[in-house]
Amino acid sequence: VGKKVQAIYLWWHKPVIDKELLQSLPNLKVIANSGVGMDHLDLKLVASFGVKIANAPRAVSSSTADTGMALLLASARRLLEVHNISISSSMEYREADILGVKVAGATLGIIGMGSIGYKIALRAKAFEMNVLYHNRTRRKVQEEQAVGATYCKKIDSLLQQADFVMLVVSLTPQTHKLIGKRELELMKPTATLINISRGAVIDQEALVAALRTGVIRAAALDVTSPEPLPRDHPLLKLKNVIITPHLGIKTDKATYMITEEAVENILAALNGLPLPSEVYPS
Amino acid sequence: MWYHKPAINEELLQSLPNLKVVASAGVGIDHLDLKLLSRYGVKVSNTPFIVSTDTADMGMALLLASSRRLVEGNNLNVSPDTEYFPADWLGVEVSGATIGIVGMGTIGYKVAERAKAFEMKILYHNRNQRKKEEESAVGAIYCKKIDDLLQQSDFVLLTVNLTPQTHKLIGKRELELMKPTATLINVSRGLVVDQDALVEALQNKVIKAAALDVTYPEPLPRDHPLLKLKNVIITPHIGSATKKTRWVMMEEMAESIEAGLEGLPIPREVL
């Protein structure tokens, strides 16, 4: 059977692509990834077997940006907390003291201004937010002006000014534990951290400590390390945390588009044509 | 006046002969009998514009939370029984979907501005059509008949004020006109929706889901079916509940009261 396999469509990191698997599939030509993140793949290893790799960058950006905004708003307005109060069977009812944070006029700091980060900036602008961003490279002036975004060359500057910090970087050795104790302490005590990138971008232990002691106000995480977290993990018990099960791209439309992109790449590889979204080991 | 308390009736007004002004928090005045107050020579004020942005934000927050199943997702993630995340657990895409805004006043228009950034197709229904420039600025298409809006929308968002004309505006007929994949979002008043019809529609999958910041009454009785439906998000009327906005509302109410007591023109007077 192994000899027949020419293409793999990787769904949620399964199957695990290791040396053993690659050796058992001598006619494998292409691995198409469902999503844009490639941190779970050993690109050099795969390339060494002469296998091409593709991801699905176009399909994910809007859905992921939407998830980022959904988490920002849900956290700012304490949506989950108050929903639970609203449906609770207890007769206790608190009215006027359930106050949230006003989003209009607040400052959003976007860390990682790729396609997804930029779409977030577009959305934030419509919510009358002030947008700062930190990126490896600065965007063009016209791009900045279109969303009213101000570049922060130093991440510290962004962290100190933002009311909401949103992580939209890809996971690389440079972004691993990008947000640790030092960075959390630079943030405002009234600030919210939102993560839609990868769990490993945050030093999770440092985050738990920061949330417990009020170093930052709250967190909203679509990604953790691992997924799911162990059932006794402190993050699951904190009142000021929203955690969603990596639903960044989990919509009917996005799933369809991702599969379409993957099929395009697979067919191209099998026909010896250039791949629309090939990924190369750096 | 805060969250409709105290109730202003004839008894109360008779017992307060020197009452000059009632300052109501928020923009809605459906809880006030304006004719009655006028007979007693009492002036009324509200806080109309300051609440608009937060209420529009709340509408979008509910839309996003509902479509992406944030409440269910969070519950799944913290449940002691969860071992893995199911691969076929999906929400509805917001970007590129169609939103139907019922009531295009200040709040409705702010919703449209936000929806535009999500590349949504925007339909709206209003007593009057907005100016062309206002429509173009957000790419909103006017639906003279509410039916057209209901039939085409993936998300129906209610931002009308409560009047005899909008009472039970959304009933069995309207819910049946909506797509079975559509979500109803209400940030206006509970009475704009026929609640019993809504419960039935949700139970029978006539519509997909609902997200409500307002109900009738508030709060709902603890055994109400709406509290038990999995496809419903309910928030306790917090449309304007942010520190900054509440602060300004208080300032505005105090200002109106002071003016009323000094016999000066009252800012934000409701006539």
Side-chain angles (χ1 to χ4, degrees), chain B residues 147-159:
Chain B
D147 297 29
D148 294 329
L149 178 150
L150 295 169
Q151 284 165 329
Q152 298 178 69
S153 298
D154 301 303
F155 300 94
V156 175
L157 211 153
L158 307 175
T159 40

Side-chain angles (χ1 to χ4, degrees), chain A residues 249-270:
Chain A
I249 52 164
K250 286 189 168 172
T251 69
D252 42 9
K253 191 172 166 188
T255 308
Y256 194 84
M257 285 169 68
I258 286 166
T259 306
E260 267 187 337
E261 266 194 275
V263 168
E264 264 179 48
N265 279 291
I266 289 172
L267 288 175
L270 296 183

Side-chain angles (χ1 to χ4, degrees), chain A:
Chain A
V1 173
K3 292 217 164 88
K4 290 189 181 174
V5 176
Q6 295 183 75
I8 291 178
Y9 178 30
L10 206 60
W11 190 254
W12 279 137
H13 312 183
K14 289 187 172 65
V16 174
I17 307 292
D18 54 19
K19 202 164 182 180
E20 238 187 284
L21 183 75
L22 290 167
Q23 281 170 339
S24 72
L25 305 172
N27 291 319
L28 182 66
K29 290 191 172 56
V30 58
I31 297 173
N33 191 38
S34 60
V36 66
M38 304 298 279
D39 45 282
H40 55 288
L41 284 171
D42 185 338
L43 300 178
K44 286 204 172 86
L45 175 69
V46 174
S48 73
F49 278 82
V51 177
K52 289 179 189 278
I53 309 163
N55 64 353
R58 294 192 316 268
V60 304
S61 41
S62 292
S63 312
T64 315
D66 290 354
T67 302
M69 292 307 293
L71 287 172
L72 186 155
L73 288 162
S75 183
R77 305 303 292 272
R78 299 168 64 179
L79 210 133
L80 268 70
E81 200 187 333
V82 300
H83 169 76
N84 288 333
I85 291 173
S86 294
I87 62 167
S88 134
S89 51
S90 118
M91 285 311 289
E92 220 185 282
Y93 186 70
R94 289 154 30 211
E95 284 185 2
D97 62 345
I98 305 171
L99 297 181
V101 173
K102 184 165 180 164
V103 167
T107 298
L108 170 65
I110 301 173
I111 298 179
M113 194 76 136
S115 313
I116 302 172
Y118 196 75
K119 289 207 172 195
I120 290 169
L122 282 165
R123 284 148 178 71
K125 179 170 188 272
F127 281 83
E128 301 165 55
M129 297 185 88
N130 176 35
V131 178
L132 305 174
Y133 77 101
H134 174 73
N135 205 38
R136 275 172 301 188
T137 53
R138 192 170 170 173
R139 282 240 177 191
K140 297 192 194 117
V141 173
Q142 310 97 296
E143 291 174 333
E144 285 184 347
Q145 282 176 351
V147 296
T150 306
Y151 184 56
C152 289
K153 192 165 180 185
K154 285 184 156 187
I155 201 178
D156 296 31
S157 163
L158 179 153
L159 294 169
Q160 285 164 327
Q161 299 178 73
D163 301 301
F164 297 91
V165 175
M166 188 149 353
L167 304 175
V168 201
V169 288
S170 47
L171 179 61
T172 65
Q174 292 76 40
T175 62
H176 185 262
K177 287 197 179 170
L178 178 68
I179 304 295
K181 184 173 192 287
R182 191 191 83 91
E183 289 72 29
L184 291 160
E185 281 172 0
L186 283 170
M187 284 170 67
K188 295 181 177 182
T190 49
T192 303
L193 179 67
I194 301 140
N195 192 4
I196 52 169
S197 59
R198 284 290 181 267
V201 170
I202 298 179
D203 176 345
Q204 243 166 222
E205 272 181 44
L207 177 62
V208 171
L211 287 164
R212 274 195 179 133
T213 55
V215 167
I216 64 171
R217 184 191 77 94
L221 317 169
D222 189 41
V223 288
T224 57
S225 194
E227 289 171 10
L229 288 168
R231 299 293 86 194
D232 57 356
H233 197 284
L235 274 175
L236 302 182
K237 299 178 186 21
L238 290 169
K239 274 195 76 179
N240 49 352
V241 178
I242 295 175
I243 310 190
T244 46
H246 202 147
L247 42 82
I249 52 164
K250 286 189 168 172
T251 69
D252 42 9
K253 191 172 166 188
T255 308
Y256 194 84
M257 285 169 68
I258 286 166
T259 306
E260 267 187 337
E261 266 194 275
V263 168
E264 264 179 48
N265 279 291
I266 289 172
L267 288 175
L270 296 183
N271 291 320
L273 294 166
L275 274 62
S277 33
E278 185 164 2
V279 179
Y280 303 96
S282 44

Side-chain angles (χ1 to χ4, degrees), chain B residues 3-22:
Chain B
Y3 271 113
H4 310 183
K5 292 184 171 65
I8 307 283
N9 51 29
E10 189 121 31
E11 235 188 284
L12 183 76
L13 291 173
Q14 279 169 345
S15 70
L16 303 172
N18 291 319
L19 183 66
K20 289 189 174 55
V21 59
V22 168

